[in-house]
């Protein structure tokens, strides 16, 4: 095992280490089935990997960068990364990490998210709950109504492992129910998310893109671009999609750098390069932007267009 892998594993709470080592060994012995994810065993991304491909070998990684690097370095065949949540919006830093990674999106997966409050004991009065900032944000109303102080941690399942190590009955974790089973915690309350239609979208990343030869019945293409800093630049850049009848299902802006003058955009469109309408729309987009990056074309996991 590479030395850097040991240092990454030692970032996990003690309760998680044996599970991490076991899963890492299995993945290393069958790299073609290895799917890296950010988090400790029992995290939502761990569950999402198994839902996406039942017989895969999930490879736990401490950070998003580690999960991406595992694919770049050949330690995993693919990575599964959460990109957005229906309650809490974009997952922090993902829009920066994806273009920089050099990897390609080859699939997507949608998973309902149900958060559970778990702790060392069910009898003591809770003072705090530890979890990933996304999970804390998705349970904000519950925490406020119960006067529980939210404490941010690297991920949901690692928070559960930390609570298991600490044996502090006044501290709890917010994590999937699988984490309680893995780390021997008591279930205090299930389904504490603020909305029960809470959904997270994951993307599947690979070193190799799906090519024109790959059959995709309902293709989705993800791209990023930076508009020129001139009046109506975005309006003009979007015109090609409208005139060519290409449906844009998502458009989100973000700032890259401290100048606040370079606005970049993340977009999902229905269709794929090679389609005449898509090619024309992207050609016009390139004319009105500084650069365009295609992050991947892949099958839609769920329909975006609703029939009348």
């Amino acid at each position: 095992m590479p030395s850097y892998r040991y240092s990454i594993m030692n970032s996990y709470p003690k309760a998680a280490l044996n599970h991490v080592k076991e899963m890492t060994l299995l993945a290393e012995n069958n790299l073609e089935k290895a799917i890296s994810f950010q988090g400790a065993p029992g995290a939502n991304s761990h569950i999402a990997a198994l839902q996406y491909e039942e017989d895969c070998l999930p490879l736990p990684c401490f950070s998003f960068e580690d999960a991406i690097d595992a694919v770049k370095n050949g330690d995993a065949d693919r990575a599964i990364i959460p990109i957005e949540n229906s309650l809490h919006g974009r997952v922090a830093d993902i829009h920066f990490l994806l273009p920089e990674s050099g990897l390609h999106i080859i699939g997507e997966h949608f998973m309902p998210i149900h958060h559970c409050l778990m702790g060392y004991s069910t009898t003591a009065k809770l003072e705090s709950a530890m979890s990933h900032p996304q999970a804390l944000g998705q349970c904000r109303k519950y925490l406020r109504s119960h006067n529980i102080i939210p404490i941010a941690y690297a991920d949901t399942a690692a928070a559960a492992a930390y609570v298991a190590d600490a044996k502090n009955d006044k501290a709890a974790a917010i994590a999937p129910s699988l984490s309680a089973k893995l780390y021997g915690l008591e279930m205090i309350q299930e389904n504490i998310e603020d909305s029960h239609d809470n959904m997270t979208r994951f993307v599947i990343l690979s070193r190799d893109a799906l090519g024109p030869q790959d059959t995709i019945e309902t293709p989705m293409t993800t791209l990023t671009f930076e508009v020129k800093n001139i009046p109506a630049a975005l309006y003009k850049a979007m015109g090609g999609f409208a005139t060519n009848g290409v449906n844009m299902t998502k458009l989100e802006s973000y700032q890259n750098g401290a100048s606040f003058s370079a606005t970049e955009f993340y977009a999902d469109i229905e269709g794929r390069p090679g389609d005449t309408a898509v090619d024309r729309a992207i050609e016009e987009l390139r004319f009105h932007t500084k650069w365009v990056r295609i992050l991947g074309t892949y099958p839609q996991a769920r329909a975006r267009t609703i029939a009348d």
Side-chain angles (χ1 to χ4, degrees), residues 39-306:
N44 282 306
S45 294
H46 177 189
I47 299 168
L50 293 171
Q51 288 184 358
Y52 176 74
E53 188 171 292
E54 188 176 356
D55 64 344
C56 80
L57 297 173
L59 174 65
C61 299
F62 188 73
S63 68
F64 289 125
E65 291 94 333
D66 295 331
I68 289 170
D69 284 346
V71 179
K72 293 169 66 175
N73 297 333
D75 295 322
D77 184 61
R78 290 156 291 168
I80 187 165
I81 302 293
I83 191 168
E84 59 186 323
N85 176 264
S86 59
L87 284 182
H88 209 58
R90 181 176 70 211
V91 176
D93 296 336
I94 290 302
H95 286 30
F96 301 107
L97 292 174
L98 288 184
E100 295 172 357
S101 70
L103 301 180
H104 305 274
I105 301 175
I106 62 166
E108 63 176 0
H109 178 70
F110 290 84
M111 188 174 82
I113 302 296
H114 300 292
H115 294 298
C116 301
L117 189 68
M118 57 193 70
Y120 186 67
S121 169
T122 60
T123 57
K125 179 175 173 55
L126 286 178
E127 295 179 354
S128 64
M130 177 180 292
S131 195
H132 189 276
Q134 278 272 337
L136 295 174
Q138 293 162 25
C139 302
R140 178 179 56 85
K141 294 179 182 177
Y142 178 91
L143 296 175
R144 286 178 64 86
S145 66
H146 290 78
N147 295 315
I148 298 174
I149 300 170
I151 299 176
Y153 199 70
D155 74 270
T156 56
Y162 184 91
V163 168
D165 284 344
K167 296 181 172 57
N168 178 357
D169 57 9
K170 294 183 180 180
I174 296 174
S177 59
L178 176 60
S179 297
K181 297 175 184 177
L182 288 176
Y183 304 124
L185 294 176
E186 298 290 331
M187 188 67 70
I188 299 171
Q189 181 70 50
E190 296 186 77
N191 300 329
I192 66 168
E193 61 275 3
D194 294 338
S195 175
H196 296 309
D197 61 356
N198 189 19
M199 182 79 68
T200 291
R201 178 190 178 207
F202 297 81
V203 292
I204 318 309
L205 304 177
S206 172
R207 289 183 298 277
D208 299 317
L210 296 180
Q213 73 281 359
D214 293 298
T215 301
I216 305 176
E217 292 185 1
T218 53
M220 174 76 71
T221 296
T222 294
L223 51 92
T224 57
F225 59 91
E226 181 182 337
V227 295
K228 296 177 180 178
N229 194 13
I230 58 176
L234 180 61
Y235 174 80
K236 294 174 182 177
M238 295 295 95
F241 294 97
T243 57
N244 288 284
V246 176
N247 187 30
M248 180 171 288
T249 64
K250 183 178 182 65
L251 178 65
E252 189 169 18
S253 66
Y254 58 99
Q255 294 290 331
N256 194 351
S259 67
F260 291 94
S261 62
T263 303
E264 299 181 8
F265 290 85
Y266 169 101
D268 291 331
I269 61 172
E270 291 187 310
R272 65 185 300 172
D275 298 342
T276 301
V278 171
D279 287 346
R280 287 175 177 170
I282 292 178
E283 182 181 3
E284 189 163 343
L285 176 67
R286 292 186 189 279
F287 183 79
H288 294 290
T289 57
K290 294 181 179 179
W291 52 260
V292 177
R293 294 192 186 112
I294 305 294
L295 299 186
T297 297
Y298 49 93
Q300 291 184 26
R302 61 191 303 181
R304 292 341 194 252
T305 302
I306 300 175

